[in-house]
């Protein structure tokens, strides 16, 4: 039986929520408001913490800054390179792990390890794998007659290197979510399709894909948001640099560079808000598509 909220019950509920509200307010809401205000700083005395002038000059600056547009372009290339491939590979592996195979638990653990491992540790290993002279990847490519590739020092190959690393690192999380989605599909659908003579491909296309659409939708939203915010992998893989000739500089790296190295807090905050708006627009587009395509 639902009871109408009263003043007493509302106050009691707020008191229960108060610790969480305080934490959210201090560590989430306040930084958001503060960074927005900082994006409007056009004349700021850092040593005395005095703002002499507010305005939109920082937004004008970043829209005229070629480095910002290069960072945005690199970020979008990264998102396009990582998200679809990562989802496709994760789904394929999840389907294999969901089948009746031996050592299923071992394989699940192996695939999930990259997700819980430090990005720095992973990047150190991949720097060795990508090494031009001693790297494992060039060694295997050499078996097929491919000349050594300068993965981390050639601007052409810097972004593909970053994409490969990020796909590999993100597989574990996506696989676990896909496995949960696959196990929620009623087996009766597959049995009925088998009786009707449907092939494996048609069962995948007409049963697995539609009934897994909500899971795929969730993973795509999370993956796109995380990919737009990529920074750790860039910093660790290229030893604190944004790749050769800024070929792997992303928007978050641009924000980091302006905030911590150049002390341009207003520009960094403005870039952060532009990135927020871009992510927000992409998420709205996904929600719009999801309403029409996702089966619940």
């Amino acid at each position: 039986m639902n009871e109408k909220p009263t003043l007493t019950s509302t106050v009691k509920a707020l008191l229960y929520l108060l610790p969480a509200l305080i934490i959210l307010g201090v560590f989430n809401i306040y930084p958001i408001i503060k960074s927005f205000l900082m994006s409007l700083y056009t004349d700021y005395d850092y040593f005395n913490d005095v703002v002499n002038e507010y305005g939109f000059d920082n937004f004008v600056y970043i829209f005229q800054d070629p480095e910002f547009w290069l960072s945005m372009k690199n970020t979008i290339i990264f998102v396009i390179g990582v998200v679809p491939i990562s989802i496709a590979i994760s789904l394929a592996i999840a389907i294999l792990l969901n089948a009746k195979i031996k050592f299923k638990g071992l394989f699940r653990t192996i695939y999930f390890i990259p997700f819980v491992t430090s990005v720095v540790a992973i990047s150190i290993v991949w720097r060795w794998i990508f090494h031009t002279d001693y790297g494992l990847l060039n060694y295997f490519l050499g078996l097929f007659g491919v000349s050594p590739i300068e993965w981390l020092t050639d601007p052409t190959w810097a972004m593909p290197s970053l994409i490969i690393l990020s796909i590999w690192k993100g597989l574990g999380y996506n696989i676990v979510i896909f496995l949960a989605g696959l196990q929620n599909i009623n087996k009766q659908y597959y049995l009925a399709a088998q009786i009707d003579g449907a092939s494996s491909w048609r069962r995948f296309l007409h049963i697995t894909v539609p009934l897994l659409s909500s899971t795929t939708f969730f993973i795509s939203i999370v993956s796109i948001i995380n990919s737009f915010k990529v920074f750790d992998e860039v910093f660790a893989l290229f030893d604190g640099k944004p790749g050769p000739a800024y070929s792997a500089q992303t928007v978050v790296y641009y924000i980091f560079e302006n905030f911590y190295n150049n002390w341009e807090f207003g520009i960094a905050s403005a870039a952060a808000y532009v990135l927020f708006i871009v992510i927000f627009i992409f998420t709205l587009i996904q929600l719009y598509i999801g309403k029409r395509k996702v089966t619940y």
Side-chain angles (χ1 to χ4, degrees), residues 76-101:
I76 291 174
I77 292 172
F78 177 82
V79 172
I80 294 172
V82 169
V83 176
I85 298 174
S86 177
I87 289 176
I89 296 176
S90 303
L91 177 59
I93 294 173
I95 290 172
L96 288 175
L97 292 178
N98 196 46
K100 294 178 181 177
I101 60 171

Side-chain angles (χ1 to χ4, degrees), residues 6-17:
T6 61
L7 180 62
T8 307
S9 64
T10 303
V11 171
K12 189 183 290 183
L14 287 174
L15 286 174
Y16 279 120
L17 291 171

Side-chain angles (χ1 to χ4, degrees), residues 30-269:
Y30 174 73
I32 290 172
I33 296 171
K34 182 66 178 178
S35 60
F36 176 71
L37 293 174
M38 288 177 70
S39 70
L40 303 176
Y41 291 0
T42 55
D43 187 359
Y44 177 53
D45 183 349
Y46 172 77
F47 295 103
N48 297 314
D49 192 23
V50 176
V51 183
N52 298 313
E53 189 178 349
Y54 289 92
F56 292 94
D57 291 1
N58 294 319
F59 289 96
V60 174
Y61 175 85
I62 62 169
F63 286 133
Q64 294 176 345
D65 185 6
E67 193 179 330
F68 173 77
W69 289 112
L70 173 65
S71 306
M72 184 61 77
K73 175 188 161 191
N74 288 339
T75 304
I76 291 174
I77 292 172
F78 177 82
V79 172
I80 294 172
V82 169
V83 176
I85 298 174
S86 177
I87 289 176
I89 296 176
S90 303
L91 177 59
I93 294 173
I95 290 172
L96 288 175
L97 292 178
N98 196 46
K100 294 178 181 177
I101 60 171
K102 292 182 179 178
F103 309 115
K104 189 188 298 183
L106 176 64
F107 285 122
R108 287 179 182 177
T109 306
I110 290 172
Y111 282 114
F112 195 68
I113 283 175
F115 181 71
V116 295
T117 306
S118 161
V119 174
V120 176
I122 289 173
S123 299
I124 289 172
V125 173
W126 276 91
R127 282 170 62 183
W128 169 72
I129 293 174
F130 284 133
H131 195 283
T132 305
D133 298 323
Y134 311 109
L136 195 63
L137 193 53
N138 276 346
Y139 171 77
F140 281 113
L141 291 175
L143 298 177
F144 299 96
V146 179
S147 301
I149 296 172
E150 297 178 344
W151 293 98
L152 302 180
T153 53
D154 185 343
T156 307
W157 291 102
M159 183 55 74
S161 307
L162 182 63
I163 289 172
I164 292 171
L165 164 65
S166 301
I167 290 173
W168 181 81
K169 182 180 178 301
L171 285 179
Y173 177 80
N174 292 348
I175 289 170
V176 169
I177 303 296
F178 270 130
L179 272 173
L182 286 169
Q183 289 170 6
N184 282 330
I185 297 176
N186 194 329
K187 299 293 184 292
Q188 298 295 328
Y189 295 123
Y190 293 106
L191 292 174
Q194 274 183 304
I195 292 169
D196 290 340
S199 63
S200 301
W201 173 246
R202 292 183 71 83
R203 291 201 297 274
F204 168 75
L205 205 61
H206 297 288
I207 297 175
T208 306
V209 171
L211 295 182
L212 212 57
S213 58
S214 58
T215 307
T216 309
F217 178 61
F218 168 76
I219 289 176
S220 66
I221 285 184
V222 173
S223 299
I224 285 180
I225 292 173
N226 288 337
S227 297
F228 267 112
K229 297 189 298 180
V230 63
F231 170 76
D232 298 359
E233 290 85 347
V234 179
F235 192 87
L237 187 62
F238 298 103
D239 198 19
K241 300 180 180 63
Y246 294 85
S247 54
Q249 175 162 296
T250 59
V251 177
V252 177
Y253 195 98
Y254 177 88
I255 295 168
F256 167 81
E257 184 78 7
N258 277 289
F259 197 96
Y260 287 102
N261 294 339
N262 301 337
W263 289 19
E264 295 286 357
F265 309 115
I267 292 172
S269 300

